[in-house]
Amino acid sequence: MLAIKFALLVCLGVFVAGRPSEEKRLIKVSEDQDAVWMSEEEIFILIEKKTHFMDVTGRNFPAEKPIVANALPTTIRFQDFVTPILSGINIPRMEAFVDAFDDFPNRYYNNQNGVTSSDWLFVQVEEAIASSGYQGVTSVNKVLHSWPQNSVIAKIEGSDPTLKSEVLIFGAHQDTINSRNPSAGIAPGSDDNASGSVTLLESLRVLLAAGVVPKRSIEFQWYAAEEVGLRGSGDIAQAYSNQQVNVIGMVNFDVVGYRAGQNEIGLLTDYTNPTLTSFLKLVIDEYCTYRWVNDYCGYACSDHASFHAYNFPASSPSEFPLNPYMHTTTDTTDRMSFEQVAEFVKLTIAAAIEIAEPTGV
């Protein structure tokens, strides 16, 4: 497959293995404060303090406007079609993926581990599509950025001549970070964010195995460099805005596997679209065992914020409450519940079918 390289992205050139970058980045830490130029060491301090921030270097944000989600349904319509498909969710397969993905010492965006883990992820997605026997139109591509780690985008193309231009996105970041030693520390990232990554991959596998051909197009996007300011998703959201891609909804999964013991799905109410979030509540009520609760995350807490900043309807379901072991050496599979991850896979599959609409139903 050919790699995607958006015109707005620049050539690689700031990465030297094992050394911090001397390049300064334009960083914004809140809606109300101006962005400031920061060195990598200053950014690392933000990470250690658990401060949310967005890297806005080179960003050209459009004027803020009301985000209208006209293409989204308001009722659940395809229960008889969706429910049997959910039985295809395979928990051991998800466990195997996370066990392999968190074996990398870290998946830091700017070192060789980040490159190798991203390449491995690409192969898993590529093989999932190739082995599925799917009869519709699919693709998987790498997105090249100005740093070594690639993002990955898989697409199920819609079948309807008109509706296929409408794109429903499910996203999750693939990189990891150790807050005490960001560039080289051990960061298995089982929950943050192998859990979100496997949610996308398992959903893709189940949809393909079931032969679901949607009318609208569905994309699964695994982002690079989320942990250093939402950089991968920011590149893609900006490119889609510049290209006027008709994104009808973006659903972001970041930390969905921690065994919190409360059996709840948190739905973020800030920097998200109320219409899309309300529809996800209907999907959870209909198809999931867990119930939903409203949650709050703050400025730039994950990749949905990139799409929100470009006026795309975005939402973000996550575990509730959050994993206290994130960004440490102890974010490991023994603290995860794959039964819980399966709830988010149900949500993804059902939302994909209900919004993108199955052909011939």
Side-chain angles (χ1 to χ4, degrees):
M1 296 288 180
L2 296 176
I4 299 172
K5 189 167 186 178
F6 297 121
L8 63 93
L9 305 182
V10 297
C11 297
L12 302 180
V14 299
F15 168 66
V16 179
R19 293 188 199 168
S21 169
E22 296 179 359
E23 177 192 36
K24 285 200 171 185
R25 307 291 301 182
L26 190 59
I27 301 298
K28 192 171 174 64
V29 298
S30 78
E31 193 75 38
D32 302 327
Q33 296 183 33
D34 291 336
V36 297
W37 291 98
M38 290 189 177
S39 68
E40 188 171 70
E41 289 184 357
E42 290 171 315
I43 293 170
F44 287 172
I45 291 172
L46 293 180
I47 293 168
E48 186 170 9
K49 290 182 176 179
K50 300 181 180 180
T51 302
H52 296 155
F53 63 94
M54 183 180 291
D55 187 324
V56 297
T57 312
R59 296 282 174 252
N60 182 22
F61 294 110
E64 186 177 341
K65 63 180 182 181
I67 302 174
V68 180
N70 288 332
L72 296 175
T74 57
T75 60
I76 300 298
R77 300 167 292 167
F78 302 111
Q79 295 97 323
D80 291 345
F81 185 83
V82 172
T83 301
I85 292 174
L86 300 181
S87 64
I89 297 171
N90 187 317
I91 287 178
R93 181 167 62 191
M94 291 195 291
E95 291 174 331
F97 173 89
V98 174
D99 282 342
F101 210 30
D102 67 13
D103 275 348
F104 291 95
N106 55 55
R107 302 189 294 275
Y108 188 64
Y109 83 109
N110 211 22
N111 67 21
Q112 189 58 50
N113 289 319
V115 174
T116 306
S117 61
S118 181
D119 289 344
W120 180 84
L121 170 64
F122 177 81
V123 170
Q124 306 314 302
V125 178
E126 192 174 43
E127 289 181 349
I129 293 173
S131 64
S132 68
Y134 184 70
Q135 297 301 305
V137 179
T138 61
S139 61
V140 57
N141 292 285
K142 297 178 180 179
V143 180
L144 308 185
H145 300 284
S146 60
W147 57 86
Q149 187 181 58
N150 299 317
S151 294
V152 177
I153 297 179
K155 183 174 184 176
I156 302 176
E157 186 171 326
S159 64
D160 185 275
T162 301
L163 294 179
K164 70 179 182 180
S165 65
E166 299 180 0
V167 181
L168 174 62
I169 297 171
F170 296 96
H173 76 88
Q174 58 177 291
D175 60 314
T176 66
I177 203 163
N178 183 311
S179 61
R180 293 185 177 274
N181 184 0
S183 61
I186 300 299
S190 298
D191 186 32
D192 187 16
N193 189 33
S195 67
S197 295
V198 78
T199 295
L200 301 194
L201 181 58
E202 184 64 16
S203 299
L204 174 64
R205 289 182 186 275
V206 174
L207 288 168
L208 296 176
V212 177
V213 179
K215 293 180 181 178
R216 297 178 174 86
S217 296
I218 304 170
E219 290 188 0
F220 296 88
Q221 302 184 349
W222 291 264
Y223 305 118
E226 184 269 352
E227 300 286 10
V228 290
L230 319 184
R231 290 177 62 179
S233 61
D235 278 355
I236 293 170
Q238 179 165 280
Y240 279 28
S241 178
N242 291 343
Q243 298 166 10
Q244 298 184 322
V245 176
N246 187 5
V247 176
I248 61 171
M250 184 275 179
V251 183
N252 181 58
F253 295 100
D254 191 356
V255 294
V256 300
Y258 174 59
R259 191 190 302 112
Q262 294 190 199
N263 295 348
E264 293 171 328
I265 294 174
L267 287 169
L268 300 187
T269 57
D270 57 325
Y271 300 96
T272 54
N273 179 260
T275 303
L276 178 56
T277 301
S278 293
F279 185 71
L280 294 184
K281 291 177 179 179
L282 296 180
V283 172
I284 293 168
D285 287 341
E286 181 66 33
Y287 296 109
C288 296
T289 303
Y290 283 20
R291 69 187 189 98
W292 57 265
V293 294
N294 289 327
D295 199 6
Y296 177 89
C297 195
Y299 177 77
C301 74
S302 192
D303 293 302
H304 60 280
S306 294
F307 286 84
H308 180 81
Y310 283 95
N311 296 324
F312 294 124
S315 64
S316 189
S318 67
E319 66 200 19
F320 185 85
L322 289 177
N323 185 346
Y325 304 100
M326 289 189 294
H327 299 174
T328 72
T329 59
T330 53
D331 180 6
T332 48
T333 52
D334 59 301
R335 292 187 166 91
M336 288 181 64
S337 164
F338 285 91
E339 289 74 18
Q340 176 174 300
V341 177
E343 292 292 305
F344 289 88
V345 178
K346 291 178 188 176
L347 169 57
T348 307
I349 294 168
I353 294 171
E354 291 282 354
I355 295 173
E357 298 187 34
T359 301
V361 177

